[in-house]
Amino acid sequence: MVTLGRIAGVSGIIGTLVTARPKGDSAWRLAFLLGLVSGPLALVIAGGELGNVLGRPEAVIGEPAGGVALMLVAGLLVGLGTGIGSGCTSGHGVCGLARLSPRSMAATLTFLITAMVTVFVVRHLIGGGA
């Protein structure tokens, strides 16, 4: 942000690569995405651990509860939501609030209220959850 005036919005970077296919603007976007993927890969190659990715239930996060298919569907829904919401929860919550963006304030409040209602419904009305 300081050097280029750009916010590291991953959903926007990926979305522009997939939909708009910018000419002359693709190199830094690809480098950014490769950097996001290469960090964890380098950690695994060096003998580090990634929590649930290596299949250890006692790891930091644990095994995914719904399996890979559910994770793929959830990931696609998150991607769709970031497109509709003009950014992700982290982007609005961290970058947007730091810039005092009214749109990000509204989006972050919407995310938080939706999360609280979801937890209440799942834990107290449906009876699921921990």
Side-chain angles (χ1 to χ4, degrees):
M1 171 104 174
V2 173
T3 60
L4 298 175
R6 296 179 187 215
I7 297 169
V10 178
S11 58
I13 292 169
I14 293 173
T16 303
L17 272 174
V18 172
T19 59
R21 300 181 199 256
K23 294 181 171 75
D25 198 18
S26 297
W28 75 265
R29 294 173 189 275
L30 287 171
F32 184 85
L33 294 174
L34 288 173
L36 288 177
V37 175
S38 64
L41 288 176
L43 180 65
V44 169
I45 291 169
E49 298 182 15
L50 292 177
N52 68 335
V53 179
L54 293 178
R56 288 186 40 225
E58 71 277 1
V60 178
I61 299 172
E63 293 291 327
V68 175
L70 183 62
M71 287 174 51
L72 289 173
V73 170
L76 290 172
L77 289 173
V78 168
L80 180 64
T82 60
I84 293 170
S86 298
C88 68
T89 54
S90 302
H92 282 297
V94 176
C95 296
L97 291 181
R99 293 183 353 237
L100 301 176
S101 165
R103 184 175 76 179
S104 290
M105 288 181 197
T108 303
L109 279 173
T110 302
F111 301 147
L112 290 174
I113 291 168
T114 301
M116 288 187 272
V117 169
T118 300
V119 168
F120 178 80
V121 168
V122 169
R123 288 196 175 180
H124 300 290
L125 301 180
I126 297 175

